[in-house]
Amino acid sequence: GINAEYMGAQAMGGDVELKSTYGGGTSAYFRFPIECQSHFGELTVPMINTLDIAANYVKLYNKISSSASNCPLDFDIESFKKNSKSYRNILVVDDQIVNCRVLDSMIKRYFKCDVDIALDGNSAIQKCSSNNYLCILMDMHMPDLSGIETTQHLMKQWEEGILVEKPIVIGVTADVTVIKQCMDYGMMDVMVKPIKIKDLIQCLIRNIPHTKGLVNDVGIAVIDQNNSKDTS
């Protein structure tokens, strides 16, 4: 493994650096020279296309591994380009911009991630086609496509292979009578408006894998405070 990677880096004029931490694992760093340039008038600006570097490296790795009778890497650069965006983002879908801004503020205050906003179901579907989101907070009552209809479209796209990963959709509604319907159509959970901070944090931790690593110090303090109340 690492020997072939070192050979590949050397062949591209770069090198490999290894850093190990006892009990924490080993990290490998790759350095490659970049010669591509883009011209703007009299100014020459160096441009870095990491996707092309990745593709070229994999081709070189496969050439080396085939000569050594090893298994080549299975790498589809177009698929990588399509599905490598915004994986640390949460998508908020609501036709009321005020509601979007409230959730945006709450998430950014307690989590180490960014927020993307869609003001209708069609925009949400379009954004999901080019982004892998941590989760989608979906309002129920919207013009054109409702939250449930939008969720149905997303689940169908996942089943057809258009979306690489199954969307984690969490309903947001003031209507408690639609909770069962939301779950029946593929939503993972439902939050009832008005949303309390502790409910938001607990819901995201409950439904998104490895979310605890995304909770910042302020969010951890809220969790600890609620845990102390529950035990007292």
Side-chain angles (χ1 to χ4, degrees):
I2 195 64
N3 186 48
E5 291 166 0
Y6 177 76
M7 292 171 61
Q10 289 278 300
M12 294 180 69
D15 61 3
V16 179
E17 179 183 354
L18 298 178
K19 290 185 178 180
S20 297
T21 303
Y22 180 76
T26 300
S27 299
Y29 299 86
F30 301 86
R31 296 186 183 90
F32 301 100
I34 307 297
E35 297 180 356
C36 180
Q37 293 182 334
S38 179
H39 297 274
F40 297 90
E42 298 299 322
L43 180 65
T44 299
V45 181
M47 303 292 289
I48 299 176
N49 190 333
T50 55
L51 293 177
D52 289 340
I53 290 174
N56 290 333
Y57 175 73
V58 171
K59 290 177 182 177
L60 181 60
Y61 180 93
N62 287 343
K63 184 177 180 180
I64 295 171
S65 63
S66 62
S67 63
S69 299
N70 294 325
C71 294
L73 294 176
D74 182 12
F75 186 87
D76 182 352
I77 187 63
E78 293 304 321
S79 177
F80 184 79
K81 287 180 179 179
K82 181 179 179 181
N83 298 296
S84 62
K85 304 176 184 177
S86 307
Y87 193 71
R88 288 175 63 87
N89 288 5
I90 291 175
L91 178 62
V92 174
V93 187
D94 197 309
D95 61 308
Q96 299 297 320
I97 189 62
V98 174
N99 294 339
C100 293
R101 295 303 181 195
V102 169
L103 280 172
D104 175 271
S105 177
M106 292 173 69
I107 293 168
K108 289 180 178 177
R109 178 169 173 76
Y110 298 102
F111 290 87
K112 295 179 283 188
C113 61
D114 291 324
V115 175
D116 203 357
I117 290 173
L119 295 177
D120 57 65
N122 288 316
S123 295
I125 294 169
Q126 184 177 3
K127 285 178 178 290
C128 288
S129 67
S130 58
N131 297 276
N132 285 325
Y133 292 105
L134 284 167
C135 75
I136 303 165
L137 302 184
M138 183 78 68
D139 184 43
M140 289 298 97
H141 302 290
M142 297 184 293
D144 297 329
L145 292 178
S146 68
I148 289 177
E149 290 171 328
T150 304
T151 302
Q152 286 180 291
H153 277 275
L154 293 174
M155 293 304 169
K156 183 179 180 181
Q157 288 186 338
W158 170 67
E159 291 171 354
E160 294 174 348
I162 299 173
L163 300 181
V164 177
E165 296 186 5
K166 183 178 181 179
I168 299 176
V169 183
I170 299 172
V172 180
T173 182
D175 186 0
V176 295
T177 63
V178 301
I179 292 178
K180 184 180 183 303
Q181 189 180 8
C182 292
M183 305 295 283
D184 289 342
Y185 283 98
M187 295 188 184
M188 298 289 290
D189 211 332
V190 178
M191 289 190 292
V192 179
K193 300 177 182 178
I195 299 173
K196 298 179 180 179
I197 291 172
K198 69 172 185 178
D199 294 335
L200 172 66
I201 295 175
Q202 290 174 351
C203 182
L204 295 186
I205 289 177
R206 184 167 61 245
N207 290 286
I208 307 175
H210 314 299
T211 317
K212 286 188 176 181
L214 293 175
V215 182
N216 61 25
D217 293 339
V218 180
I220 292 173
V222 173
I223 295 173
D224 292 340
Q225 183 179 11
N226 281 285
N227 288 339
S228 63
K229 287 181 181 179
D230 293 337
T231 56
S232 61

